[in-house]
Amino acid sequence: MRLIFVGPPGAGKGTQAKVICDKYGIPQVSTGDMLRAAKKEGRLPAELIQKMDAGGLVPDEVVIDLIRRRIEEPDAVSGFLLDGFPRTVPQAEALGELLASKGQRLNGVIALTVDKNLLMERAVLRRTDKRTGQIYHLKYKPPPPDADLEHRADDHEDKVRNRIDVYERMTADLLPFYEKAGMLERVDGVGEVAEVTQRVLAAIEKRK
Ligand code: ADP
Ligand code: AMP
């Protein structure tokens, strides 16, 4: 199973990806998580840190290279779920070429849709446990008292607004690209987490 999750910041990609990856036994490959790990370990150049913290995109070559190396690791050979990649048409084209060169095919692209006002609330009140990577929400999924919480630098209101704008500009090209290829499944991301999971699973079953 080779899947892509597309959606604005706060749409629930990370939350849903964890459930789907457990069910299908595939790794979740998040370019955002990989970049944040590189930043934490001091491996990310200052100009990329600045771009990320401001809510902008990092250059295509950087993420394409991360993905090229990641999908060659043994756990990703028979499948993966890409969360947050591709974000641009050149990234999508590079991924297509990469998979074709390995004789692999994509099952489908799941686009999670959520209203803008709700996105803002979801992202601004998101907190992640530094030790476990578990995603919490101060209103919808309160963390336990002993959680070691992190508030992402780009999850502050002005940055989130910028990220939503960047996403809207990006999807203007990316979604039609996958729609034309007959790969796109739109899924309503509003509702209880379990309810959204059922919709995502139904969309994936169509692509098997
Ligand atoms: P993304 O990876 O798309 O940016 P996340 O999965 O991190 O989004 O979710 C953003 C925030 O919204 C998190 O705090 C998460 O706990 C919360 N969240 C995710 N799905 C739902 C949902 N269906 N209902 C309410 N809150 C949700
Ligand atoms: P995310 O965790 O997916 O919200 O990503 C956090 C940030 O990492 C984004 O705002 C970008 O700065 C950067 N990033 C992650 N994935 C990509 C990508 N595919 N292309 C460009 N930048 C990315």
Side-chain angles (χ1 to χ4, degrees):
M1 183 67 81
R2 293 185 186 84
L3 296 167
I4 295 176
F5 269 14
V6 183
K13 299 180 297 295
T15 301
Q16 295 299 330
K18 289 204 169 46
V19 186
I20 301 301
C21 287
D22 279 352
K23 182 172 164 67
Y24 290 100
I26 50 176
Q28 175 193 358
V29 175
S30 156
T31 38
D33 285 348
M34 291 161 91
L35 291 165
R36 279 187 290 278
K39 175 181 167 187
K40 203 177 268 176
E41 292 160 18
R43 295 185 282 109
L44 202 65
E47 71 264 25
L48 298 192
I49 295 180
Q50 257 175 17
K51 282 213 167 78
M52 276 186 81
D53 287 354
L57 295 185
V58 307
D60 289 337
E61 312 81 73
V62 173
V63 278
I64 291 167
D65 193 52
L66 283 177
I67 289 292
R68 180 180 295 120
R69 284 185 274 140
R70 180 64 184 90
I71 67 176
E72 275 175 4
E73 284 174 29
D75 66 330
V77 168
S78 54
F80 47 72
L81 189 162
L82 302 182
D83 160 9
F85 179 94
R87 269 171 148 99
T88 65
V89 171
Q91 292 178 20
E93 287 170 341
L95 176 68
E97 284 163 24
L98 202 57
L99 294 180
S101 73
K102 296 173 187 299
Q104 296 178 349
R105 83 176 182 98
L106 207 57
N107 290 77
V109 179
I110 309 291
L112 277 178
T113 59
V114 173
D115 174 87
K116 229 182 194 176
N117 295 330
L118 194 52
L119 286 178
M120 187 62 80
E121 185 191 52
R122 282 206 190 162
V124 171
L125 298 182
R126 164 169 45 198
R127 299 292 184 272
T128 308
D129 190 319
K130 273 189 238 172
R131 290 166 305 196
T132 62
Q134 174 67 50
I135 304 166
Y136 293 103
H137 190 276
L138 295 182
K139 181 169 163 189
Y140 298 117
K141 189 175 169 53
D146 62 341
D148 186 6
L149 295 181
E150 188 161 44
H151 187 187
R152 278 169 52 171
D154 58 359
D155 270 348
H156 295 269
E157 199 170 324
D158 52 332
K159 309 288 166 52
V160 176
R161 193 162 287 125
N162 184 32
R163 288 163 65 212
I164 295 173
D165 287 347
V166 168
Y167 176 80
E168 283 176 349
R169 266 180 269 136
M170 146 204 141
T171 43
D173 293 330
L174 190 69
L175 295 188
F177 175 88
Y178 281 125
E179 193 142 45
K180 273 188 213 128
M183 301 294 278
L184 193 67
E185 297 287 342
R186 283 194 170 80
V187 173
D188 179 5
V190 181
E192 294 287 324
V193 170
E195 213 179 304
V196 178
T197 303
Q198 287 312 311
R199 292 182 204 137
V200 172
L201 285 173
I204 293 174
E205 284 302 308
K206 284 200 233 162
R207 311 293 322 185
K208 264 179 145 178

